[in-house]
Amino acid sequence: MAEKGKKFLHLPYTVKGMDVSFSGILSNIEKQAPHLISSKQYAPEDLCYSLQETIFAMLVEIKKRAMSHCGSQEVLIVGGVGCNLRLQEMMNIMCEERGAKLYATDERFCIDNGAMIAQAGIEMFQSGTTTPWDLVTCTQRYRTDEVEVTWRS
């Protein structure tokens, strides 16, 4: 639907350092959508377009900041959202402006992060990091930057 949108609605844009917050943007659009659509001010496609453009701009901004911080000249897009050609396009524009290289894989490798999670588990196990079964938990909002990397020196 976003591909068919033409009219942009300004939405909350929350970037702090390399952190983003999507909660405000989703609440905002959920609150406004019924009126905006019923009044014909915006089509559903326009709202999808606005949501996509805003969120992807936030992702590109934090990636650009991370590249500067780390001195990186490469970007690899993975995960389910990595299939989105608009994200790939926006990220590629940023990379071209910086003289960097974008690597975007096709759908076969972008559907799920399960393989990446499994690889991290293998690396942790092989380095001696284990968790007793009775202490295992699932944390939906687990931050990857809080993982202690024990398999590299």
Side-chain angles (χ1 to χ4, degrees), residues 56-95:
F56 288 176
M58 292 164 68
L59 294 176
V60 170
E61 180 181 336
I62 62 170
K63 178 47 76 180
K64 182 178 179 180
R65 190 169 288 131
M67 291 172 71
S68 290
H69 181 71
C70 297
S72 177
Q73 289 294 79
E74 299 174 316
V75 174
L76 173 62
I77 298 180
V78 295
V81 75
C83 296
N84 189 293
L85 297 178
R86 178 61 181 146
L87 176 60
Q88 292 178 20
E89 177 185 22
M90 290 173 74
M91 201 68 75
N92 193 50
I93 290 167
M94 181 272 293
C95 284

